[in-house]
Coordinates of all heavy atoms in Angstrom, one line a residue:
G5 N -3.5 11.1 -3.8 CA -2.8 12.3 -3.5 C -2.9 12.6 -2.0 O -1.9 13.1 -1.5
G6 N -4.0 12.5 -1.4 CA -4.2 12.8 0.0 C -3.3 12.0 1.0 O -3.0 12.4 2.0
L7 N -3.1 10.7 0.6 CA -2.4 9.8 1.5 C -1.0 9.4 1.0 O -0.3 8.6 1.6 CB -3.2 8.5 1.7 CG -4.6 8.7 2.2 CD1 -5.4 7.4 2.2 CD2 -4.6 9.3 3.6
L8 N -0.5 10.1 -0.1 CA 0.8 9.8 -0.7 C 1.9 9.9 0.3 O 2.8 9.1 0.5 CB 1.0 10.6 -1.9 CG 2.2 10.3 -2.8 CD1 2.0 8.9 -3.4 CD2 2.3 11.3 -3.9
L9 N 1.9 11.0 1.0 CA 3.0 11.3 2.0 C 2.9 10.4 3.2 O 4.0 9.9 3.7 CB 3.0 12.8 2.4 CG 3.3 13.8 1.3 CD1 3.1 15.2 1.9 CD2 4.7 13.6 0.8
L10 N 1.7 10.0 3.6 CA 1.5 9.1 4.7 C 2.0 7.7 4.3 O 2.6 7.0 5.1 CB 0.1 9.0 5.1 CG -0.3 8.0 6.2 CD1 0.4 8.4 7.5 CD2 -1.8 7.9 6.4
G11 N 1.8 7.3 3.0 CA 2.3 6.1 2.5 C 3.8 6.0 2.6 O 4.3 4.9 3.0
G12 N 4.5 7.0 2.2 CA 5.9 7.0 2.3 C 6.4 6.9 3.8 O 7.4 6.2 4.1
R13 N 5.7 7.6 4.7 CA 6.0 7.5 6.1 C 5.8 6.1 6.6 O 6.6 5.6 7.4 CB 5.2 8.5 6.9 CG 5.4 8.5 8.4 CD 6.7 9.1 8.7 NE 6.8 10.5 8.2 CZ 6.3 11.5 8.8 NH1 5.6 11.4 9.9 NH2 6.5 12.7 8.2
I14 N 4.7 5.4 6.2 CA 4.5 4.0 6.6 C 5.7 3.1 6.2 O 6.1 2.3 7.0 CB 3.2 3.5 6.0 CG1 2.0 4.2 6.7 CG2 3.0 2.0 6.3 CD1 0.7 3.9 6.0
G15 N 6.1 3.3 5.0 CA 7.3 2.5 4.5 C 8.5 2.7 5.3 O 9.3 1.7 5.6
D16 N 8.8 3.9 5.7 CA 10.0 4.2 6.5 C 9.9 3.6 7.9 O 10.9 3.1 8.4 CB 10.1 5.7 6.7 CG 10.5 6.4 5.4 OD1 11.0 5.7 4.4 OD2 10.2 7.7 5.3
I17 N 8.7 3.6 8.5 CA 8.6 3.1 9.9 C 8.4 1.6 9.9 O 8.9 0.9 10.8 CB 7.4 3.8 10.5 CG1 7.7 5.3 10.7 CG2 7.1 3.2 11.9 CD1 6.5 6.1 11.2
M18 N 7.6 1.0 9.0 CA 7.2 -0.4 9.0 C 8.1 -1.3 8.2 O 8.0 -2.5 8.3 CB 5.7 -0.6 8.6 CG 4.7 0.2 9.4 SD 4.7 -0.2 11.1 CE 4.1 -1.9 11.0
G19 N 9.0 -0.7 7.4 CA 9.8 -1.5 6.4 C 9.2 -1.4 5.1 O 8.0 -1.6 4.8
R20 N 10.0 -1.0 4.1 CA 9.5 -0.7 2.7 C 9.0 -1.9 2.0 O 8.0 -1.9 1.2 CB 10.6 0.0 2.0 CG 10.8 1.4 2.5 CD 12.1 2.1 1.9 NE 12.4 3.4 2.5 CZ 13.5 4.0 2.4 NH1 14.5 3.5 1.7 NH2 13.7 5.2 3.0
R21 N 9.7 -3.1 2.1 CA 9.3 -4.2 1.3 C 7.9 -4.7 1.7 O 7.0 -5.0 0.9 CB 10.3 -5.3 1.4 CG 10.1 -6.5 0.4 CD 11.1 -7.6 0.6 NE 11.1 -8.2 1.9 CZ 12.1 -8.8 2.5 NH1 13.3 -8.8 1.9 NH2 12.0 -9.3 3.7
S22 N 7.7 -4.9 3.0 CA 6.4 -5.4 3.5 C 5.3 -4.4 3.2 O 4.2 -4.7 2.9 CB 6.5 -5.7 5.0 OG 6.9 -4.6 5.7
T23 N 5.7 -3.1 3.3 CA 4.7 -2.0 3.0 C 4.3 -2.1 1.5 O 3.1 -1.9 1.1 CB 5.3 -0.6 3.3 OG1 5.6 -0.6 4.7 CG2 4.3 0.5 3.0
L24 N 5.3 -2.3 0.6 CA 5.0 -2.4 -0.8 C 4.1 -3.5 -1.1 O 3.1 -3.4 -1.8 CB 6.4 -2.6 -1.6 CG 6.2 -2.9 -3.1 CD1 6.0 -1.6 -3.8 CD2 7.4 -3.6 -3.6
I25 N 4.3 -4.7 -0.5 CA 3.5 -5.9 -0.7 C 2.1 -5.6 -0.2 O 1.1 -5.9 -0.9 CB 4.1 -7.1 0.0 CG1 5.4 -7.5 -0.6 CG2 3.1 -8.3 -0.1 CD1 6.2 -8.5 0.1
C26 N 1.9 -5.0 0.9 CA 0.6 -4.7 1.5 C -0.2 -3.7 0.5 O -1.3 -3.9 0.3 CB 0.7 -4.1 2.9 SG 1.2 -5.3 4.1
G27 N 0.6 -2.7 0.1 CA -0.1 -1.7 -0.8 C -0.5 -2.3 -2.1 O -1.6 -2.1 -2.6
V28 N 0.3 -3.2 -2.7 CA 0.0 -3.8 -4.0 C -1.2 -4.8 -3.8 O -2.1 -4.8 -4.7 CB 1.2 -4.6 -4.5 CG1 0.8 -5.5 -5.6 CG2 2.3 -3.6 -5.0
L29 N -1.2 -5.6 -2.7 CA -2.3 -6.5 -2.5 C -3.6 -5.7 -2.3 O -4.7 -6.2 -2.7 CB -2.0 -7.4 -1.3 CG -0.9 -8.5 -1.6 CD1 -0.6 -9.3 -0.3 CD2 -1.3 -9.4 -2.7
L30 N -3.6 -4.6 -1.5 CA -4.8 -3.8 -1.4 C -5.2 -3.3 -2.7 O -6.4 -3.2 -3.0 CB -4.5 -2.6 -0.4 CG -5.6 -1.7 -0.1 CD1 -6.8 -2.5 0.5 CD2 -5.2 -0.6 0.8
F31 N -4.3 -2.8 -3.5 CA -4.6 -2.3 -4.9 C -5.3 -3.4 -5.7 O -6.3 -3.2 -6.4 CB -3.3 -1.9 -5.6 CG -3.5 -1.1 -6.8 CD1 -3.7 0.3 -6.8 CD2 -3.6 -1.7 -8.1 CE1 -3.9 1.0 -8.0 CE2 -3.8 -1.0 -9.2 CZ -3.9 0.3 -9.2
C32 N -4.8 -4.6 -5.6 CA -5.4 -5.8 -6.4 C -6.8 -6.1 -5.9 O -7.7 -6.3 -6.7 CB -4.5 -7.0 -6.2 SG -3.0 -6.9 -7.1
L33 N -7.0 -6.1 -4.6 CA -8.3 -6.4 -4.0 C -9.3 -5.3 -4.5 O -10.4 -5.7 -4.9 CB -8.2 -6.4 -2.5 CG -9.6 -6.5 -1.8 CD1 -10.2 -7.9 -2.1 CD2 -9.4 -6.4 -0.2
A34 N -8.9 -4.1 -4.4 CA -9.8 -3.0 -4.9 C -10.1 -3.1 -6.4 O -11.2 -2.9 -6.8 CB -9.1 -1.7 -4.6
S35 N -9.1 -3.5 -7.2 CA -9.3 -3.7 -8.6 C -10.3 -4.8 -8.9 O -11.2 -4.7 -9.7 CB -8.0 -4.0 -9.3 OG -7.1 -3.0 -9.2
L36 N -10.2 -5.9 -8.1 CA -11.1 -7.0 -8.3 C -12.6 -6.6 -7.9 O -13.5 -6.8 -8.6 CB -10.7 -8.2 -7.4 CG -11.6 -9.4 -7.4 CD1 -11.6 -10.0 -8.8 CD2 -11.1 -10.4 -6.4
L37 N -12.7 -5.9 -6.8 CA -14.0 -5.4 -6.4 C -14.6 -4.4 -7.4 O -15.8 -4.4 -7.7 CB -13.9 -4.7 -5.0 CG -13.5 -5.6 -3.8 CD1 -13.3 -4.8 -2.6 CD2 -14.6 -6.7 -3.6
G38 N -13.7 -3.5 -7.9 CA -14.2 -2.6 -8.9 C -14.7 -3.3 -10.2 O -15.7 -2.9 -10.8
G39 N -14.0 -4.3 -10.6 CA -14.4 -5.0 -11.8 C -15.7 -5.8 -11.6 O -16.4 -6.0 -12.6
L40 N -16.0 -6.1 -10.4 CA -17.2 -6.9 -10.1 C -18.4 -6.0 -9.8 O -19.5 -6.5 -9.5 CB -17.0 -7.8 -9.0 CG -15.9 -9.0 -9.2 CD1 -15.7 -9.7 -7.9 CD2 -16.4 -9.9 -10.3

């Protein structure tokens, strides 16, 4: 919630497709670390 609006701004400035991929990969890495 705290970074949701910043995330949207990053997509506008850096390009949405690459931002989506970076966000998803970060989410996956965090999920792996959490499971371990």
